[in-house]
Amino acid sequence: MPNTDVIVISDEGSTEHSDDDDTASTSDPEPTSESAEVDLIGAENNLEDHRAEHRACSSQGTTITNLTADDACDDEAHASAPISNECIMWGGLLNCLLKLTSHIHRCMSTWTTSGPHRTVSLKCGHLFGMSCLKDWIKRSKVCPNCKAVAKPADIRPVYAINLTAVDDSDLQSALRQRDAERAKVVQLEKQNQFLRQNLLRLESKLSEWVPPVLAGYPLRCTLSLQICSEKSVRVGASSWSHPSMVYVSHGQEGRFGFSKWDLCNTNVKVFNPVQSGPVRDLKVQCRSGSKDFLLSTGLDKTLRLFSMESKSTEVSMDLPSPAWSCSFDGVRENIVYVGYGNRSTIGIYDFRNPSQCLGELSDAAMGRTGFGVHSLHHVQVENSNVLVGGSLANPFLVCTDNSTDCFSVCDSFQCISLFKGGKTCTSVDFNHENNKLVMSWRTDEKMNHVVGSLDFTPCTDDDTVSHIPAFNHIAEFESAMHMNLNRSRCLVRNGQTIFVTGGDTDGAACIRTVSEGGNVSVVQTLAVETGAKVMDSFTVGDDGNIVVLTDMKGHLWA
């Protein structure tokens, strides 16, 4: 048998040359790169071509048709099959290239800042462990990553104090979230720009709006009257039976009651001391067609009914606590309501049984203990039996669906709080002629006045009819701060609704109109007394003249 060179690539990567008489072996270090992929493709192609050639030469012996790199190096697999020298050579080369390819992937040891496996880079910037990269460069002369030409001189150390692999998935997630938020900001900026343009357009229209000129203005102060010598005027009311008669509550020489003031005869002013403490509220009702009855209450814990016909107190009722407000029942003339001053509770009384309280109305919507009820108005509209009131906490409505009975005999009632416009509610006034109301609030620096209306149309929901009136907010406006509990009023003058509140200075009242669209216009400022406090205002007579009360005087504007 002729001498034949056989190249055997062992698993350890050594290459052995053998002939018939002697065997020489040389040892090659194991390659360490993945760039051998380029040579691997060519080796695979050559191997496939050799398989085809080997299959065609069947006359030379048994042919292995499915030769792989492992088969070429497996002595047991080939012991019984004659294989050509060229076949064994190509199979061993393929196995070698596979090992070269996989070795660079095994460079997974932690890189260090010094030592044989310190962090190094090539000119292209890719980082490796130094020992693995040197082994690779000796064979491949290219970067394992980008295949750029490289030589040992291109290996450069990288100096780092601490090199750590960082998982930046959270960072990428945060960046994506940031981009999404930026997109939202861009969208909101577009919306903001659109709204600003609409605002400018509306402001331009508002600047062109001219408030309507009301008939009968401006008013002139035609009469001023000294009511008392001490600052004790609190509240007033006009007579139902005498167009020129008004009543004003105040104190005089340690006694408390009200004075009757005849506008046609300024010399007629009669004081009626009906209570032993300051009067906080005064209401007038006409009975028997011509005579006025006055309902008053105050800090002396009493509720009194005074007859102008007999000029005496008809009924006196003791209360469990001081009272701040009172109201007649609009339908049942013997029923009256009292708002207590030290708690958010309403007492119900009957003149026919003055020694006994028929019942009390209290609810969280009125406010908690210590928030007295300063305003109270009974309203009887269609099927609604309603009390419109206000405490220091907030305005409220007390309602029943039974319009025939008073609150004391109703099985249940509902109480709802109205619009909140500030910190402390100081006044609530309702006008039954137009179903409008004005509510005044103290804020940090100003008085805020809220104008609204009550809709008494029954509401049907799931076959249930509700007679609770709906509150409709119309407008708001501000004035100067007033620390006293002065009354804001919703009045009707010559068929026009006006709102009278304290002015921007002491000693002045301000008349405003409010359109259904919410436009607020100042009609006139009534300057009455410099430095005085405006306490109350109301209309009197068929001409709609306005009486403005300060803490000591009364002023008629006509």
Side-chain angles (χ1 to χ4, degrees):
M1 184 175 182
N3 293 336
T4 304
D5 291 334
V6 179
I7 302 175
V8 180
I9 307 298
S10 67
D11 291 340
E12 288 76 16
S14 62
T15 304
E16 299 180 358
H17 299 266
S18 63
D19 52 28
D20 291 344
D21 300 323
D22 56 342
T23 302
S25 64
T26 58
S27 178
D28 237 359
E30 183 179 320
T32 59
S33 169
E34 59 182 334
S35 76
E37 294 172 1
V38 178
D39 298 329
L40 176 60
I41 296 174
E44 288 177 340
N45 293 335
N46 290 335
L47 178 60
E48 194 61 35
D49 293 341
H50 180 69
R51 284 173 175 166
E53 181 182 353
H54 190 68
R55 284 192 295 269
C57 300
S58 57
S59 60
Q60 298 180 7
T62 304
T63 304
I64 299 176
T65 57
N66 295 318
L67 183 64
T68 65
D70 292 336
D71 294 332
C73 299
D74 190 344
D75 294 336
E76 295 181 0
H78 302 155
S80 60
I83 306 174
S84 67
N85 297 337
E86 188 178 2
C87 176
I88 296 174
M89 180 188 68
W90 282 111
L93 178 59
L94 177 60
N95 187 37
C96 179
L97 291 176
L98 288 172
K99 289 189 176 183
L100 285 171
T101 303
S102 63
H103 183 79
I104 196 66
H105 291 291
R106 294 200 300 269
C107 182
M108 301 298 291
S109 300
T110 304
W111 299 342
T112 60
T113 57
S114 62
H117 206 252
R118 66 175 301 165
T119 307
V120 295
S121 72
L122 294 173
K123 285 184 177 181
C124 55
H126 293 115
L127 301 177
F128 306 96
M130 184 173 66
S131 58
C132 292
L133 183 60
K134 282 183 176 182
D135 205 9
W136 173 270
I137 292 297
K138 289 178 181 179
R139 288 172 169 75
S140 300
K141 312 300 183 187
V142 294
C143 173
N145 282 359
C146 65
K147 305 302 183 289
V149 177
K151 55 184 181 295
D154 295 334
I155 299 176
R156 302 174 179 179
V158 175
Y159 299 97
I161 297 176
N162 186 16
L163 190 63
T164 306
V166 178
D167 180 7
D168 66 344
S169 57
D170 291 341
L171 174 61
Q172 296 301 325
S173 176
L175 292 175
R176 288 192 296 271
Q177 185 177 359
R178 179 204 63 184
D179 294 340
E181 294 299 327
R182 284 180 174 176
K184 290 181 182 179
V185 170
V186 171
Q187 185 64 24
L188 290 175
E189 287 178 348
K190 291 181 180 179
Q191 294 178 4
N192 185 38
Q193 184 178 4
F194 175 76
L195 293 176
R196 285 180 178 274
Q197 292 175 352
N198 283 345
L199 179 61
L200 292 175
R201 178 174 55 82
L202 293 175
E203 287 178 344
S204 176
K205 286 186 177 181
L206 183 61
S207 63
E208 298 172 358
W209 181 76
V210 178
V213 178
L214 297 182
Y217 294 92
L219 301 176
R220 294 184 304 108
C221 183
T222 60
L223 179 64
S224 294
L225 179 67
Q226 183 80 27
I227 297 175
C228 60
S229 58
E230 52 192 55
K231 297 181 179 182
S232 59
V233 172
R234 187 71 180 189
V235 64
S238 58
S239 170
W240 282 33
S241 57
H242 303 284
S244 62
M245 197 74 69
V246 297
Y247 305 98
V248 181
S249 70
H250 62 93
Q252 180 174 305
E253 297 178 354
R255 298 182 299 172
F256 300 91
F258 62 90
S259 288
K260 181 181 72 172
W261 178 18
D262 190 346
L263 300 179
C264 294
N265 186 355
T266 57
N267 293 324
V268 177
K269 183 177 73 70
V270 179
F271 178 68
N272 299 279
V274 294
Q275 301 197 226
S276 58
V279 177
R280 286 293 179 257
D281 202 6
L282 182 69
K283 298 291 174 62
V284 181
Q285 187 181 66
C286 183
R287 298 188 178 190
S288 303
S290 60
K291 299 300 179 181
D292 288 336
F293 283 82
L294 278 74
L295 182 67
S296 63
T297 190
L299 303 184
D300 62 350
K301 301 182 181 181
T302 62
L303 177 68
R304 300 178 187 269
L305 181 68
F306 188 88
S307 171
M308 294 305 299
E309 181 177 16
S310 64
K311 295 181 176 56
S312 62
T313 299
E314 295 285 330
V315 181
S316 179
M317 292 173 281
D318 294 329
L319 305 177
S321 60
W324 281 3
S325 58
C326 59
S327 176
F328 287 104
D329 189 293
V331 177
R332 295 157 284 271
E333 65 177 17
N334 292 312
I335 302 298
V336 291
Y337 306 95
V338 179
Y340 298 123
N342 59 357
R343 52 198 173 110
S344 299
T345 303
I346 299 172
I348 307 171
Y349 293 87
D350 190 336
F351 289 137
R352 294 166 298 186
N353 186 12
S355 62
Q356 183 177 359
C357 176
L358 298 182
E360 292 185 342
L361 304 175
S362 181
D363 191 89
M366 300 181 188
R368 59 183 184 271
T369 302
F371 288 79
V373 179
H374 51 64
S375 305
L376 201 57
H377 309 271
H378 181 266
V379 185
Q380 188 79 41
V381 180
E382 298 179 355
N383 295 322
S384 297
N385 190 17
V386 181
L387 281 170
V388 181
S391 69
L392 293 176
N394 50 261
F396 58 83
L397 299 177
V398 184
C399 319
T400 69
D401 288 337
N402 190 340
S403 61
T404 59
D405 296 327
C406 70
F407 284 94
S408 62
V409 297
C410 292
D411 295 333
S412 63
F413 68 92
Q414 291 179 286
C415 183
I416 57 175
S417 59
L418 298 180
F419 189 89
K420 189 172 182 65
K423 289 186 175 181
T424 304
C425 180
T426 61
S427 174
V428 176
D429 188 51
F430 175 79
N431 192 305
H432 67 276
E433 295 184 50
N434 51 24
N435 291 339
K436 291 204 169 50
L437 70 162
V438 57
M439 303 169 285
S440 297
W441 294 79
R442 286 194 195 119
T443 62
D444 291 332
E445 298 178 353
K446 295 282 187 177
M447 296 294 297
N448 186 44
H449 308 280
V450 180
V451 175
S453 64
L454 294 180
D455 184 0
F456 291 89
T457 304
C459 179
T460 303
D461 185 14
D462 296 333
D463 298 330
T464 302
V465 179
S466 174
H467 298 280
I468 299 176
F471 172 74
N472 301 311
H473 176 271
I474 299 177
E476 298 180 41
F477 56 89
E478 293 182 339
S479 67
M481 176 67 75
H482 298 283
M483 297 309 297
N484 53 303
L485 291 177
N486 59 329
R487 306 278 178 141
S488 299
R489 294 295 188 183
C490 174
L491 307 176
V492 176
R493 182 178 183 271
N494 297 334
Q496 299 167 335
T497 300
I498 60 174
F499 301 91
V500 184
T501 65
D504 288 334
T505 59
D506 286 341
C510 187
I511 302 175
R512 293 178 174 86
T513 60
V514 178
S515 69
E516 293 297 330
N519 293 316
V520 181
S521 302
V522 176
V523 178
Q524 186 178 352
T525 297
L526 309 179
V528 286
E529 294 178 62
T530 302
K533 296 183 182 298
V534 173
M535 303 303 298
D536 199 3
S537 58
F538 50 91
T539 56
V540 59
D542 298 333
D543 296 332
N545 296 330
I546 298 177
V547 174
V548 178
L549 299 178
T550 63
D551 44 14
M552 294 177 64
K553 294 182 179 181
H555 306 269
L556 177 65
W557 292 76

